[in-house]
Amino acid sequence: MADVVERRLVAGVDSSTQSCKVTIRDAATGAVVREGRASHPDGTSVDPRHWWDALGTAIADAGGFDDVAAVAIAGQQHGMVALDADGRVVRDALLWNDVRSADAAAQMVEELGREAWVARTGLVPVASFTGTKLRWLRDAEPDNAARVAAVALPHDWLSWRLRGYGPADESPLGPDLDALATDGSDASGTGYWDPVRREYDAELFEQALGRPSRVAAGPHDGDAHADGDGPVVVPRVVAPDEAMGTLASDVELPGGAVARAGLVVGPGLGDNAGAALGLGLGPGDVAVSLGTSGTVFGVTDTEVTDPSGTVAGFADGTGSRLPIVTTLNAARVLEVIGGLLSVDHGELGELALQAPAGADGLVLVPYFVGERTPNRPDATASLVGMTPATTDRAHLARAAVEGMLCALADGLAAVEATGVQVSRLLLIGGAARNEAVRAVAAQVFGRDVSIPEPGEYVASGAARQAAWVLTGSLPSWEVAATVVPADPHPEVLEQYRAAARQ
């Protein structure tokens, strides 16, 4: 009977930009059994070894995987993990928020045209996407580009390592690049995978890196070593309910954790698809996520196209579509202005509620680290409407909260413009816990805002996928939420848009 109980536990991992979070849950109910976490280093270019170390530490912090039957890893999208023929990382991974490939993205758009990119990949290249980073690597570091034998994304690489693959002196199964696998949601953010045909576009990959590619054939039974002079391996894309593999032997992780033989490893997801699965989003649901960066994403059964490139037509974690808009500046806006005012998020919210809606004309356009939507990688933040009456702590705090949310309201409008119907709007992420953010969201969006109870929804979505792979059916896990009634103040968004146009 003990074995039966053990087989009901599943784990989900969220390997994000800032940290690695692990949640272990009951496969049937979704009840949290235990959790763990570990930090990642700052930066936009990171040695993936830090993610591997953090994964081991987070698993150990969660009490280990001895009683876990299945796991899936969700991770930050777009990061370029380039491997050589020995399974070693060629250079630090360029993350989604590394904008050095902005010029490469512009070149690639000019070469093919926006409409062709949308028709073939569902997106228009910007600096965030993996393909533009490969083009940058080709042009800026040709020696490194020549060493590349495989290209993976962060969650692909971590899943590969967890299953026992890697450099020969660091892993039991060695550098079998044909064992690399991924899922459709993460593949759709590369810029060389078609979410409609659900196939790689080999021509676009070669346009990016300047070298041909081939899809990983699956794990080899015996000793395997890639040909460094052959086509570059890209991970095979497995179905949402298909296992990447099952551990044939124990795998030791950093920090003393062990993944036991028999552990089933699910396909994993991109982080936003993981959050959508964790929230149980369906057609008509759209989520606004307030992390360091911001996202607006929903689920639809219909094809999504936006030639402007504002909305990317990604795949979700179930076989449907996940139209998404991403901004580089969300909770970081509150951090920057909070730091200027020497207050934390809670105190910033209290200050913001002391000023009226619209902050008496004070507007913050929050492009502190450039911006992805709109595509302005070299932009900086601007504060307009300063008068003696508005230049105080309360008005500045209010402008920060409104600026963050108005940028995402533009994202919501872009998603709706593609034909996506919005019947329920959810607000998630750390900043969504702030009372001022909730109140201002109901004003800026002008509709009811559903606030799910605080939780690690990316990791939860990965755990739900693991349960799906383990049991053969996608479980229904309840998500409690409160609703903030609509309090429309259209003038807030109107004055923000006027300032942003300047």
Side-chain angles (χ1 to χ4, degrees):
M1 182 62 68
D3 289 340
V4 174
V5 173
E6 291 176 356
R7 299 297 293 179
R8 295 183 63 223
L9 295 186
V10 294
V13 177
D14 172 14
S15 182
S16 71
T17 312
Q18 297 85 14
S19 63
C20 181
K21 287 150 282 193
V22 173
T23 182
I24 297 173
R25 296 176 178 247
D26 182 282
T29 67
V32 177
V33 177
R34 54 186 190 270
E35 296 180 307
R37 67 180 297 145
S39 297
H40 287 161
D42 292 331
T44 64
S45 179
V46 175
D47 184 345
R49 178 178 295 276
H50 293 298
W51 304 334
W52 179 237
D53 291 343
L55 177 63
T57 301
I59 290 173
D61 189 48
F65 274 5
D66 285 357
D67 53 354
V68 171
V71 61
I73 299 176
Q76 54 178 304
Q77 290 194 265
H78 315 314
M80 181 191 71
V81 183
L83 304 175
D84 66 15
D86 294 323
R88 299 188 186 281
V89 175
V90 170
R91 65 157 348 267
D92 285 358
L94 299 187
L95 306 190
W96 61 274
N97 55 355
D98 193 303
V99 298
R100 72 184 74 182
S101 60
D103 289 342
Q107 293 168 10
M108 294 170 72
V109 173
E110 184 177 356
E111 290 165 2
L112 197 62
R114 289 177 174 270
E115 292 77 9
W117 278 103
V118 170
R120 294 171 67 168
T121 66
L123 54 81
V124 176
V126 293
S128 300
F129 299 139
T130 317
T132 70
K133 300 177 189 304
L134 292 175
R135 171 64 71 88
W136 176 87
L137 184 69
R138 185 198 76 175
D139 295 340
E141 298 179 356
D143 289 344
N144 279 337
R147 291 177 53 206
V148 176
V151 177
L153 300 168
H155 110 256
D156 313 342
W157 182 80
L158 279 171
S159 300
W160 185 67
R161 293 302 311 269
L162 181 63
R163 289 160 53 215
Y165 301 100
D169 58 347
E170 298 179 13
S171 62
L173 298 178
D176 184 358
L177 301 182
D178 273 303
L180 285 165
T182 189
D183 86 304
S185 71
D186 225 0
S188 63
T190 60
Y192 45 85
W193 193 78
D194 181 353
V196 176
R197 294 183 296 117
R198 300 186 72 85
E199 295 178 356
Y200 284 105
D201 191 319
E203 182 181 291
L204 294 182
F205 182 93
E206 188 164 359
Q207 181 188 14
L209 188 60
R211 294 177 56 195
S213 63
R214 69 174 178 84
V215 180
H220 295 280
D221 292 332
D223 181 52
H225 195 279
D227 180 0
D229 297 325
V232 177
V233 176
V234 293
R236 65 187 177 96
V237 178
V238 300
D241 58 348
E242 176 187 352
M244 277 188 180
T246 301
L247 271 60
S249 60
D250 292 355
V251 176
E252 295 183 6
L253 288 83
V258 177
R260 299 296 180 187
L263 179 69
V264 175
V265 181
L269 314 97
D271 50 3
N272 293 295
L277 198 61
L279 289 164
L281 298 191
D285 293 333
V286 173
V288 175
S289 178
L290 302 175
T292 301
S293 62
T295 53
V296 181
F297 56 91
V299 173
T300 179
D301 294 329
T302 60
E303 182 178 344
V304 176
T305 58
D306 179 11
S308 75
T310 302
V311 181
F314 290 173
D316 80 336
T318 68
S320 293
R321 303 298 292 275
L322 190 83
I324 185 168
V325 173
T326 303
T327 68
L328 294 181
N329 301 275
R332 77 165 76 246
V333 179
L334 307 187
E335 292 163 5
V336 170
I337 301 302
L340 178 65
L341 299 178
S342 299
V343 295
D344 60 22
H345 278 205
E347 294 167 325
L348 184 76
E350 292 173 3
L351 283 172
L353 292 176
Q354 295 173 20
D360 292 317
L362 187 68
V363 179
L364 176 65
V365 182
Y367 303 157
F368 285 102
V369 291
E371 191 46 83
R372 169 172 164 176
T373 305
N375 185 25
R376 299 176 184 171
D378 299 321
T380 56
S382 301
L383 189 64
V384 300
M386 297 177 70
T387 69
T390 62
T391 308
D392 61 21
R393 290 161 60 84
H395 283 81
L396 182 55
R398 181 83 186 201
V401 175
E402 290 180 344
M404 173 186 71
L405 290 168
C406 284
L408 290 160
D410 277 348
L412 177 62
V415 169
E416 289 185 285
T418 67
V420 174
Q421 299 297 313
V422 182
S423 57
R424 186 172 65 130
L425 183 67
L426 296 89
L427 195 68
I428 63 171
R433 303 177 187 182
N434 188 297
E435 292 298 329
V437 170
R438 297 180 179 195
V440 174
Q443 296 173 349
V444 168
F445 294 117
R447 64 178 78 212
D448 292 352
V449 179
S450 179
I451 315 290
E453 63 182 5
E456 299 293 348
Y457 286 106
V458 176
S460 175
R464 191 171 174 224
Q465 183 196 70
W468 188 9
V469 172
L470 182 68
T471 66
S473 61
L474 182 61
S476 178
W477 293 349
E478 183 178 354
V479 177
T482 58
V483 176
V484 180
D487 181 19
H489 280 265
E491 72 277 7
V492 177
L493 187 54
E494 290 169 3
Q495 71 178 16
Y496 171 84
R497 286 173 172 167
R501 283 195 297 269
Q502 298 177 20

